[in-house]
Structure formats: structure tokens, C-alpha cells
Amino acid sequence: MNIKEKNNQFSEKKTKNELNRTKGFSIIKENISEIIKISKILKSSIGPLGMDKVIFEQDGNVVITNDGATILAKIDIKSPIGSMIVDLSKSQDDEIGDGTTGIVIMAAALLEQAEKLIEKGIHPIRIIEGYEHACDICLTHLENISDYINKNSTTYKSLLAAAATAMNSKITNRSKKRLSEICVKAVLAVSDVIRRDVNLDLIKIEGKIGGNLENTTLLNGILIDKEFSHRQMPKELKDVRLCILTSPLEPPKPKSKYKIEIQNTKQFKDLDFFEQKYFNDMITQLKKSGANLLLCQWGFDDEGNHLLLRNKLPAVRWVSGSEIELLAVATGAQIVPRFNEITTATLGYASRIRENCFGTAEDRFLIIENCAKSRAVTIFIRGSSDLVIKEAKRAIRDGICVIRNLIKDSRIVYGGGSAELSCSLKIQDKAQTESGLKHYILNGFSESLKVIPLVLAENAGYSSIEALYQIINRQVNEHNAYLGVDCKGKVVGNMKEQQIFETLLSKQQQIQMSVQIASAVLRIDDIIELESKKD
């Protein structure tokens, strides 16, 4: 069977009935073209010298970023294949926290090679089988060339290097040393190293415009963007027993519309007496429990706020639901829905709560320090603009996720495209021992892995082909799998000496996810669009 006869099974066909139908190689080609278009958007953003993208949102906001997950989430992708890429990148970002850009670029390269193989008459299912076999080889080889973070240096220094690598390509590059230290300290504060467990929910990231990134601080507690409900309340409390309430400090109101008719002075005094008694009962219940701070999800009216001040009960109102949940976990307090349920057992504890300000005296916030039940921390970011703060938040999140992954699995592989090139050479050697279809498919997979060092070299301003083959020659001749693209001007560098690495878990996930995307696209040979029935 010649190539033309082989490709007849991938023909295009449209019916004239109740549906439009596109079949065969043409739809595979369209889907591959869609993935390649998306990868071209992201290619210039990868690496320490990657370029930023400016995204104008429909509500008028502007986003400047080179974070792959953010770019994919913001751009308008209407095709079903593009939506699949966005969903898969989001899952990678949620699970690992980094590597989204590399996944899309590698998946596009795999599909580009697959298109050439299909044109030679190789069936997509055979290509998928070959790619999965090559993926298994890669995963095993990555484990063989992996290293441990505490083998040649202290664990702390290695964690700093890992966080710096994750933030190297961000707008935070100049402040990465300071931010790396903050990320490492934050993760270690909320981690159980013995059990290799990290609860990232206990790390809160806040930001305020003003100052610069070097002014970013790590607070040993929880920061909430609120102030005490009355200016005359004390600005600092020690040995705090706090009550968390989700009921407003005001007289009860019926849910339906109502009106009160007051016909004489006695009725007015009775109403005033009832309100005073209701407020006094609430204050008495609070003082009886032993609370010396009230955190309320809702507001107070002026009468309630005045009574709290007169009874020396500091209070904070309009605390958000997410902050209330975090405070409850950290302090050990129970969230109380009604005043009559407040008891000593429902209170939480913190050693110190203080009100602080920055910039002008009008912009204030509260810091709850040394909580009883957990070591919750807050990273407080300062920046010259909202765009800088948002990008810094994304960079810090990437750094935190990388450190979390290293605590779970301390194995690493070195960056600069060195791991991909080493895997490419391994698969190329394997392809030489195979014959027939496997030989072509493994060679195609090997060529696809070269795309990461190619793009890194191109973004660094080098001749990408020349840089790639310099690294390949040196890796083969020196038997050194740690040689990669040096973006500092030397073209080829030893990534182990420069301490540029990422987690083995992240790299394995990137290759697996790229193969899964390519396999999913190659399995689609039919798109059916149902037409709406006419009345």
C-alpha cells in the first residue's frame, strides 16, 4: 500500500443531514495547527531572559506577565482543543506550581513531529504507542541523572537556589535573593519535614502599593486588611483570647419587610430599653466567656460600637469569610453563629495582636502573631504598582510550590535544557537499536525534546542551532548530562556548578503531561457539530 492509498482513510467528509462532520487527517492537522499557534505565543516567554506579554482584559485591566499559566488563563481561546490545553495547564499549575510553558511548547513539538510521521503513512495509534514508550525511557533516565539537594551542599542553600531558579524568569529577578529567603522560611514554618507534609493554606500572601520589592517582609502570623472598629480602642493587645462571630452586633430584625408604629413616649422608651438590654446581654455574654477581642464577619451599629469601647472590648468588623476560616484554624477558635453560644471553649488564642500602618497613617492593617494551633505566616509584598505586586505574587507562589515539592521529594534535575538534551540523546541511542516504525517514532520524539534548549538559546540571543549542537557535542564527548544553555553569555554552562535546577517531580510531570496532550490530540479524528433543529 503506497502513501496516497494509506492516507485515504484520513479523508474529509461532510454530510447534508442534521450535522456537519469533519473527519480524518484534516481534523488532526487542524488540531495540531491550533496547538502550535498557542505554543508560538508562549515560546518567547520561557527562560530567565523571556519576554513579557501585555494582556488587556475586557474590564479594562492590564496584565503584564510571562507566567505561562496566567497567559493561557487570560487569552480568549474558543476552540475545544485550545480549551483542553488551558484545562491541562491549570491542573499542572495547581499540582506542581511551575512548568506550564514548557508543557505546551513540548506538546507542540511532539505534534509537529507526529504530523510528519502521519504524512509518511504511520497510523496515529502507532505514534501514540511509540511516544508512550519513549516517555517511559525518559522518566527512567531522569531518575538516573537526578541528584539530591543535600548531597553536595546544605539543604537550606539548595532550597534557596531552587526558589531563585523558579523566580528567575519573573519581574522579581532583581529581588530574587530576598524573595527566595522569604519563600523558604515561609514553607519551612508551615511544614512537617518528618512527615514530608506542607500545608500551603497556612501561607497568606498580601500586597500593598508603596515602597519596592526589597521591602517585602515575612510576618510570623496572619495579616488582615482591617483596623479596630473604634479609633480609641488600644492598638496593641497581648495574651489575646479572641472570639470569632458570624452574627452582627445589632438588634434582631425580621427577614420580611416591617414597620414599627410608636404612638406615645412610653412605647419609645420601651423600645429603647429593649435595645439597651439586648446590647448589654451580648456584651455580658462576651465578657463572661473571658474574651478580650471580638472578630465579627458582619458590622456593628454605632450603639454597639460605643458599648464595646465603654466595656473595654476591642473589636474588628467586616472580616472576610476566608480570613475567618484561616484565623479559626490558626488560633483554635470556633466560629460562633449566635451570641448565646459564646463560651470559654469557643475562644481562640494569640500571644499578640497589633495594629500597624504604612505609607500614610490612614492605611492600616492588623497582625495576629504567634497563634496557638498552627504556625500560620503572611508574606507582605510591597511594590511600586499593582502590576508589580500581582506578578510578584505569581512568582512567590511558584517559588513556594517548588520548595514544597522538594520537601516531598528531594531529588532534582538540572536546568538550562540539560535534562531534556540528555533524554533526547538517550532516546536517539535507543532508536538506533530499533527498526521499522519504532525507529522513526523514537527519532521524532528525540527531536521534539530539543525544542526546550533551542528556545532557551533563542531567547538568550544566541544562534539557537549552533548553541544546541555545541551542548550536544560536549555532553557526548565529556559524558556530562549537566551541560545546558548558559544565558549569562557563555552559551554552554555547567548547570550543577551554577546551581540551576528544578525538581525531578516537576520535570517528570512536564514530559508526561506533554505526551498526554499529544496523545489526546492524535486520537481525535472526527468533529461533529450538531445543528439546532428548526421549528
Side-chain angles (χ1 to χ4, degrees), residues 298-317:
W298 301 99
F300 316 144
D301 60 11
D302 293 339
E303 182 71 20
N305 205 18
H306 170 70
L307 285 172
L308 287 168
L309 176 66
R310 195 171 70 183
N311 286 274
K312 298 180 180 180
L313 269 174
V316 183
R317 53 186 166 185

Side-chain angles (χ1 to χ4, degrees), residues 31 50 54 84 133 143 148 164 175 217 253 266 285 301 370 372 413 480 510 527:
N31 292 339
V54 179
M84 182 185 73
H133 176 57
E143 290 182 359
Y148 286 88
S175 305
T217 55
K253 299 175 183 178
K266 182 179 181 303
Q285 187 75 19
D301 60 11
N370 299 322
V413 291
N480 188 349
Q510 286 178 43
I527 288 185

